[in-house]
């Protein structure tokens, strides 16, 4: 079993100063586990946790996930402080709403640096530890928009689709080492993900995408009314890791399940429609 049963576990969690990451840290500390929490601002993290939380088993670190050396140092500090590493949660990320045409080169690179490069940096640093001890659990927080795409979310979806592919391959690569992988796919959760502090918008827009402008306004108005409860979401992720039971993908929220189901139905219809024509490009079967 990947999760330790004879001692408190050590978790390495990214993106922890708000949202699901913050609730994860709070609940893990309440369990008595050890947590390395990376963030862009340890001050904001500690302030958000408040004085009622025992932080004696917390290692808060300001880490730029795009910097491979900073990430590697954070993993080393974790093993030095707590004597090991059991669970890695790649949670850091942010939203971006714009048409493809409006999405600048810098926007693309910034998003993929966090959603893909940053995750890869964490994995390269942590996997030798987990592989060497032949146990551990990696949780990659994706989104239902890593399974399906909607207008205006192209850049965010691109990052999450990449994370999904990375995670599927990773799960098959590390299974023989006793390392489990879970892809978490939340729907809309009542965090500050849709606030202007967390949601990036393009520097310039055009008049050709009024539906996307309307969608952006609707999303900003949705803040505080989202269906998902982040406290319950964090608890579900912890339960998946602790029990070691569950499929590769953990969908969180009935909205997430509905979006994913619609994608499966659309993909099935697409496969059925091309079943007869797909073999046309094959080489003739050998006689």
């Amino acid at each position: 079993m990947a999760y330790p049963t004879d001692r408190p576990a050590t978790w390495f969690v990214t993106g922890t100063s708000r949202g699901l990451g913050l609730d994860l840290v709070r609940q893990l500390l309440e369990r008595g586990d050890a947590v390395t929490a990376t963030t862009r601002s340890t001050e904001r993290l500690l302030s958000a946790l408040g004085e009622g939380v025992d932080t004696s088993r917390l290692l808060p670190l300001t880490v730029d996930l795009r910097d491979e050396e900073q990430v590697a140092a954070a993993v080393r500090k974790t093993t030095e402080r707590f004597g090991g590493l059991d669970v890695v949660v790649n949670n850091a990320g942010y939203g971006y709403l714009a048409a493809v045409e409006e999405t600048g080169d810098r926007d693309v690179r910034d998003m993929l640096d966090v959603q893909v490069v940053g995750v890869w940096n964490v994995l390269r640093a942590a996997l030798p530890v987990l592989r060497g001890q032949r146990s551990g659990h990696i949780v990659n927080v994706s989104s239902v928009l890593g399974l399906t795409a909607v207008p205006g979310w192209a850049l965010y979806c691109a990052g999450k689709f990449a994370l999904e592919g990375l995670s599927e391959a990773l799960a098959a690569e590390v299974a023989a080492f006793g390392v489990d992988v879970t892809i978490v796919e939340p729907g809309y959760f009542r965090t500050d993900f849709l606030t202007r502090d967390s949601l990036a918008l393009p520097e310039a827009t055009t008049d050709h995408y009024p539906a996307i402008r309307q969608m952006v306004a609707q999303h900003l108005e949705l803040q505080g009314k989202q269906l998902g409860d982040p406290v319950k979401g964090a608890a579900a992720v912890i339960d998946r890791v602790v029990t070691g039971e569950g499929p590769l993908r953990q969908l969180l929220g009935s909205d997430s399940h509905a979006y994913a189901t619609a994608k499966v139905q659309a993909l099935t219809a697409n496969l059925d429609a091309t079943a007869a024509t797909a073999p046309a490009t094959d080489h003739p079967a050998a006689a």
Side-chain angles (χ1 to χ4, degrees):
M1 187 173 180
Y3 196 81
T5 58
D6 57 345
R7 57 174 173 79
T10 297
W11 295 62
F12 184 99
V13 186
T14 71
T16 57
S17 61
R18 57 181 60 166
L20 183 66
L22 177 61
D23 280 302
L24 270 173
V25 171
R26 182 180 288 114
Q27 292 184 36
L28 290 171
L29 293 175
E30 290 173 350
R31 283 175 49 85
D33 288 339
V35 184
T36 292
T38 79
T39 175
R40 290 178 295 175
S41 171
T42 55
E43 293 80 7
R44 186 170 61 198
L45 166 62
L46 294 172
S47 175
L49 285 174
E51 297 181 356
V53 177
D54 180 1
T55 58
S56 60
R57 297 183 64 82
L58 172 68
L59 177 60
L61 296 174
T62 300
V63 177
D64 183 346
L65 296 175
R66 301 168 298 178
D67 188 317
E68 186 175 13
E69 292 184 0
Q70 287 190 33
V71 173
V75 172
R76 282 198 306 273
K77 290 176 182 177
T78 300
T79 57
E80 291 168 359
R81 167 77 180 273
F82 300 119
L85 176 61
D86 300 297
V87 187
V88 174
V89 182
N90 286 301
N91 173 68
Y94 63 94
Y96 182 93
L97 277 174
V100 170
E101 182 181 344
E102 299 167 335
T103 304
D105 177 76
R106 187 70 263 163
D107 298 323
V108 174
R109 294 177 187 276
D110 287 345
M111 175 65 74
L112 297 184
D113 274 351
V114 173
Q115 303 273 44
V116 183
V117 177
V119 170
W120 230 299
N121 285 341
V122 172
L123 293 174
R124 273 197 302 268
L127 279 170
V129 178
L130 304 182
R131 174 173 46 77
Q133 68 195 20
R134 303 190 74 82
S135 68
H137 201 130
I138 295 167
V139 178
N140 288 338
V141 180
S142 178
S143 165
V144 70
L145 294 184
L147 290 176
T148 190
V150 295
W153 286 94
L155 179 54
Y156 182 76
C157 289
K160 293 304 188 183
F161 269 61
L163 180 61
E164 295 270 340
L166 159 63
S167 301
E168 280 196 30
L170 175 68
E173 291 174 2
V174 301
F177 303 118
V179 178
D180 198 2
V181 175
T182 298
I183 309 171
V184 178
E185 293 162 343
Y188 287 103
F189 270 71
R190 200 168 299 178
T191 66
D192 58 1
F193 183 77
L194 295 180
T195 65
R196 293 186 182 275
D197 289 336
S198 298
L199 187 65
L201 299 172
E203 291 186 3
T205 61
T206 77
D207 296 330
H208 302 293
Y209 300 97
I212 291 179
R213 300 286 82 75
Q214 182 180 11
M215 186 265 291
V216 171
Q218 290 172 341
H219 275 70
L220 291 173
E221 292 174 1
L222 181 62
Q223 176 59 33
K225 306 169 188 173
Q226 299 96 320
L227 182 63
D229 182 340
V231 175
K232 294 179 179 178
V237 171
I238 294 170
D239 183 68
R240 168 67 180 89
V241 174
V242 171
T243 63
E245 298 176 355
L248 173 65
R249 288 179 163 84
Q250 182 181 30
L251 279 80
L252 299 180
S254 57
D255 52 349
S256 176
H257 196 274
Y259 272 110
T261 300
K263 176 59 180 279
V264 170
Q265 292 172 343
L267 184 57
T268 299
N270 196 144
L271 293 173
D272 291 344
T274 58
T277 58
T281 54
D282 294 349
H283 280 290

